[in-house]
Amino acid sequence: MYTVEFQKRGLPHAHILLWLSQRNRLQNVEIVDEFICAELPNPRKFPSLYAVVTKYMIHGPCVTLRPTSLCMKDGKCSKFYPKKFQNETTFVAEGYPIYKCRDMGVVVNINGVDIDNRFVVPYNPLLLMKYQTHINLEFCNKSNVINYLFKYVNKGPDHVTASIGNSNETVQYPRVNDEIKQYYDCRYLSPSESM
Ligand SMILES: [Zn+2]
């Protein structure tokens, strides 16, 4: 199941849900680790992957590194970054996985600040190398997580309330305000999406 959204500047992005057949289930932590990674690759061993991950898969920076970041709500990052260092992938009770995120000393310097694994958005190395773009890959195994994802794929297009009027119109007194005629609930379309 998938939906394609167009961001305000016109670039499309997709939210995609995949159901795996019983045979292909990611049944344990080791298998999840094979498919989903939330760490910077070793820049000497995997220079091309390191370049793609540091270009596309770093969240923020936010919090103390950049408090004005758009993800900041009430002094906290709304996407829960930076994550905590974590030696192994585990599943918390709500069904969310917490991915392995070790303190390996590997960093990327962005605008003079060293960013470590805690700001890496979970990804699949093969998909990143193939598509050379931002692809966040996550695992979920509980129905309440599915609820959350369905909300995402079904939330529908952005809306804007617009009014149409004539600025040169002579103002009549008493001024008649017909709010129903004045306002239209419009679907917000960027030029690319309209095309
Ligand atoms: Zn953030």
Side-chain angles (χ1 to χ4, degrees):
M1 178 179 192
Y2 71 94
T3 180
V4 177
E5 290 177 359
F6 287 78
Q7 286 152 322
K8 291 283 188 286
R9 289 173 187 163
L11 289 176
H13 69 282
H15 295 268
I16 305 172
L17 300 181
L18 299 171
W19 279 262
L20 304 179
S21 67
Q22 196 66 42
R23 197 162 54 92
N24 296 313
R25 287 268 156 84
L26 307 182
Q27 284 142 341
N28 55 49
V29 162
E30 288 72 27
I31 302 179
V32 170
D33 283 343
E34 271 182 42
F35 286 90
I36 304 174
C37 180
E39 294 180 333
L40 292 165
N42 184 318
R44 278 180 299 279
K45 275 193 195 158
F46 308 104
S48 340
L49 182 63
Y50 178 84
V52 188
V53 172
T54 52
K55 187 170 179 190
Y56 296 114
M57 302 310 297
I58 303 298
H59 173 81
C62 55
V63 197
T64 50
L65 300 178
R66 195 155 63 99
T68 55
S69 179
L70 288 177
C71 58
M72 294 297 290
K73 300 266 146 58
D74 303 325
K76 283 184 187 153
C77 169
S78 58
K79 313 269 185 195
F80 308 108
Y81 286 92
K83 304 275 156 116
K84 287 197 186 91
F85 282 126
Q86 165 105 0
N87 281 329
E88 284 174 346
T89 299
T90 53
F91 294 104
V92 294
E94 292 81 32
Y96 294 95
I98 299 181
Y99 302 105
K100 183 165 72 177
C101 177
R102 293 165 294 178
D103 186 4
M104 321 261 290
V106 181
V107 295
V108 55
N109 193 282
I110 298 177
N111 299 330
V113 181
D114 280 343
I115 303 292
D116 58 41
N117 283 344
R118 292 171 299 169
F119 285 94
V120 175
V121 179
Y123 66 93
N124 174 278
L126 199 72
L127 289 175
L128 277 204
M129 289 307 288
K130 183 170 165 66
Y131 293 103
Q132 301 281 314
T133 188
H134 175 89
I135 303 175
N136 175 210
L137 184 73
E138 304 256 1
F139 173 80
C140 61
N141 66 345
K142 290 270 173 75
S143 56
N144 55 353
V145 183
I146 302 282
N147 282 350
Y148 165 77
L149 289 173
F150 266 99
K151 198 170 68 190
Y152 233 122
V153 292
N154 291 309
K155 73 181 160 80
D158 286 344
H159 281 69
V160 61
T161 302
S163 73
I164 299 171
N166 187 344
S167 56
N168 296 326
E169 215 170 278
T170 47
V171 181
Q172 289 178 352
Y173 292 99
R175 199 172 180 156
V176 183
N177 249 346
D178 185 341
E179 292 187 352
I180 295 170
K181 270 199 186 135
Q182 256 180 353
Y183 291 95
Y184 296 85
D185 189 21
C186 301
R187 183 174 170 197
Y188 179 97
L189 285 180
S190 68
S192 331
E193 190 175 7
S194 314
M195 288 298 287

